[in-house]
């Protein structure tokens, strides 16, 4: 029986882990990976102490820091269910069917990429369709690619791909890109990147691998095709909450509602932190801070449970 199980190895989960172990809580951290959303970011320029650092490099530093402490880490495992037991403790099941038990839980599972949900997307996943430039860009050396999404993620992805690909198209649904001006300027300077606005993506086509993408030009109301070998989807994200249904309340965006003072959810002993919650600002420094607050709240919760149990004896 652990004192605490943390689900997620992003900034929120790692920061929670560091603080929990320093409070001598017997802790297990389970994470699908140590890439999270940060590892998908091309360059981080707003995390204090690092003027400029690649997302993957920052995650490596976070993980190394966590490993300094006495904590059990299960990497490569995905939590599929959490249930509350009669005695108030929790059972955590993973998709590998392993079971773990704890007195408290912190859900720090962040967000997953939002899919396009168009024909060809699922069929060509891993065969030309990708959601992570940092992970897959080198596989597209000398190939033409499309990036879907005109926000910071889309523009950042295109910049990263420009190191490998001769031609990159950014397709954005709106009439104006949403990326920050500074990022747009960088893209303008890169002659390899072409931004196409007012586009509605219809289908990804190919035989064994991606060969083209079909979109509707919303301005002239005409369907067009671009010949590309890769499609990078960068249209936002959705909270990773499938395993916690029934134990929490969600807001209209499917984010876990938390008490901003205690970090607790409607189920006693269950806490949440970072981008999976309804805290409005989704940034690394915020997620890390929220993870810390959740860990310290768990410590207080476990102390109170201990006192109650002693009084009951
Ligand atoms: C492309 C991109 C660029 C960004 N750039 C910046 C930036 O420049 N500056 C900035 O401050 N922020 C940036 N952000 C936002 C920032 O990455 C997030 O705010 C931050 O990562 C949130 O941390 P988190 O720990 O809450 O979640 P995440 O980083 O999403 O981590 C969640 C972790 O939980 C794991 N997980 C999920 N489900 C399960 C499960 N069922 N079982 C086990 N493990 C699970 C995931 O594998 C992951 O490791 C960017 C985001 C993206 C996508």
């Amino acid at each position: 029986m652990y004192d605490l199980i943390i689900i997620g190895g992003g900034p929120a989960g790692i920061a929670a882990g560091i603080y929990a172990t320093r409070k001598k809580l017997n802790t297990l951290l389970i994470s699908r990976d140590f890439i999270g959303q940060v590892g998908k970011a091309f360059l981080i320029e707003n995390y204090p102490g690092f003027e400029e650092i690649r997302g993957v490099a920052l995650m490596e530093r976070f993980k190394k820091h966590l490993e300094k402490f006495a904590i059990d880490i299960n990497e490569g495992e995905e939590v599929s269910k959490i249930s509350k037991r009669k005695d108030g403790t929790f059972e955590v099941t993973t998709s590998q069917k392993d079971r773990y038990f704890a007195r408290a839980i912190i859900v720090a599972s962040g967000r997953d990429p939002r899919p396009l949900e168009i024909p060809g997307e699922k069929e060509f996943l891993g065969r030309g369709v990708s959601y992570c430039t940092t992970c897959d860009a080198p596989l597209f050396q000398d190939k033409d690619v499309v990036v879907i999404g005109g926000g910071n993620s889309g523009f950042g992805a295109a910049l990263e791909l420009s190191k490998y690909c001769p031609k990159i198209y950014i397709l954005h649904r709106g009439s104006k890109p949403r990326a920050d001006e500074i990022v747009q300027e960088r893209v303008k300077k890169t002659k390899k990147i072409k931004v196409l606005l007012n586009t509605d993506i219809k289908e990804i086509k190919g035989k064994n691998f991606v060969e083209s993408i079909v979109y509707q030009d919303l301005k002239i109301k005409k369907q067009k095709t671009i010949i590309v070998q890769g499609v990078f989807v960068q249209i936002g994200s959705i909270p990773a909450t499938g395993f916690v249904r029934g134990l929490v309340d969600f807001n209209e965006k499917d984010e876990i509602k938390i008490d901003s003072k205690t970090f607790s959810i409607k189920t006693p002993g269950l806490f949440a932190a970072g981008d999976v919650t309804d805290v409005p600002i989704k940034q690394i420094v915020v997620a890390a801070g929220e993870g810390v607050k959740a860990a310290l709240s768990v410590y207080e919760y476990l102390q109170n449970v201990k006192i109650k149990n002693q009084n009951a004896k």
Side-chain angles (χ1 to χ4, degrees):
M1 172 73 63
Y2 284 98
D3 291 326
L4 169 65
I5 293 180
I6 298 167
I7 300 157
I14 290 180
I18 291 170
Y19 274 70
T21 52
R22 283 168 56 84
K23 284 284 184 194
K24 300 261 183 230
L25 298 183
N26 178 23
T27 305
L28 166 67
L29 186 144
I30 304 174
S31 193
R32 226 165 35 195
D33 56 56
F34 280 91
I35 297 171
Q37 294 176 80
V38 181
K40 290 172 190 144
F42 174 47
L43 204 59
I44 309 290
E45 294 177 301
N46 54 9
Y47 191 75
F50 296 92
E51 285 166 35
E52 224 181 52
I53 185 163
R54 282 175 60 88
V56 176
L58 184 59
M59 282 313 294
E60 277 166 10
R61 289 202 179 220
F62 277 4
K63 188 181 173 210
K64 204 166 159 213
H65 190 172
L66 177 70
E67 285 168 346
K68 249 186 71 182
F69 299 98
I71 181 166
D72 288 346
I73 298 173
N74 287 7
E75 186 176 354
E77 264 197 292
E78 179 162 354
V79 171
S80 54
K81 197 172 173 210
I82 303 176
S83 26
K84 181 114 181 168
R85 301 160 87 212
K86 277 196 185 119
D87 64 358
T89 61
F90 294 91
E91 177 176 332
V92 173
T93 313
T94 66
S95 41
Q96 291 85 343
K97 305 279 175 250
D98 287 323
R99 293 187 309 151
Y100 304 95
F101 302 93
R103 293 183 180 86
I105 304 277
I106 296 177
V107 178
S109 46
R111 302 174 77 89
D112 287 325
R114 182 184 294 283
L116 274 170
E117 289 175 3
I118 56 157
E121 182 183 25
K122 270 192 194 143
E123 295 85 327
F124 293 110
L125 182 61
R127 292 189 288 140
V129 173
S130 169
Y131 300 92
C132 179
T133 338
T134 312
C135 323
D136 297 335
L139 306 174
F140 291 81
Q141 179 80 47
D142 300 326
K143 292 180 177 160
D144 292 342
V145 297
V146 148
V147 174
I148 317 282
N152 280 333
S153 303
F155 273 61
L159 283 169
E160 187 163 16
L161 285 159
S162 68
K163 287 188 280 169
Y164 306 95
C165 306
K167 187 87 209 164
I168 302 116
Y169 300 88
I170 297 177
L171 267 57
H172 180 58
R173 198 184 159 88
S175 54
K176 257 189 191 168
R178 277 183 296 101
D180 294 342
E181 288 298 329
I182 187 171
V183 186
Q184 288 192 45
E185 273 164 28
R186 279 182 205 151
V187 162
K188 262 186 211 150
K189 280 189 199 146
T190 316
K191 302 282 175 254
K192 293 173 168 184
I193 304 172
K194 187 170 179 184
V195 182
L196 300 173
L197 304 170
N198 304 298
T199 57
D200 184 20
I201 316 301
K202 294 291 180 195
E203 190 177 356
I204 298 165
K205 285 186 166 176
K207 284 193 192 95
N208 293 322
F209 293 91
V210 168
E211 291 174 8
S212 65
I213 186 155
V214 181
Y215 70 94
Q216 176 85 4
D217 185 322
L218 295 170
K219 235 180 173 175
I220 57 166
K221 299 192 173 54
K222 225 176 147 185
Q223 219 161 65
K224 293 187 174 175
T225 299
I226 311 176
I227 306 296
V228 281
Q229 292 79 53
V231 176
F232 284 83
V233 183
Q234 303 285 327
I235 55 164
S237 57
I238 43 176
T241 52
F243 57 90
V244 81
R245 295 195 175 270
L247 297 175
V248 303
D249 287 327
F250 294 105
N251 69 4
E252 67 292 347
K253 294 182 194 154
D254 224 13
E255 296 166 337
I256 298 173
K257 281 188 186 176
I258 58 166
D259 180 310
S260 60
K261 284 212 178 86
T262 62
F263 289 81
S264 54
I265 310 174
K266 71 172 183 185
T267 306
L270 192 56
F271 297 75
D275 277 17
V276 76
T277 71
D278 61 353
V279 170
I281 314 274
K282 313 291 187 203
Q283 288 285 279
I284 303 164
V285 69
V286 177
E290 302 282 307
V292 170
K293 291 185 205 166
L296 297 179
S297 301
V298 165
Y299 177 72
E300 216 166 276
Y301 165 79
L302 291 174
Q303 293 292 102
N304 287 339
V305 170
K306 217 175 182 180
I307 292 165
K308 263 191 209 154
N309 287 348
Q310 276 163 2
N311 289 346
K313 275 178 194 166

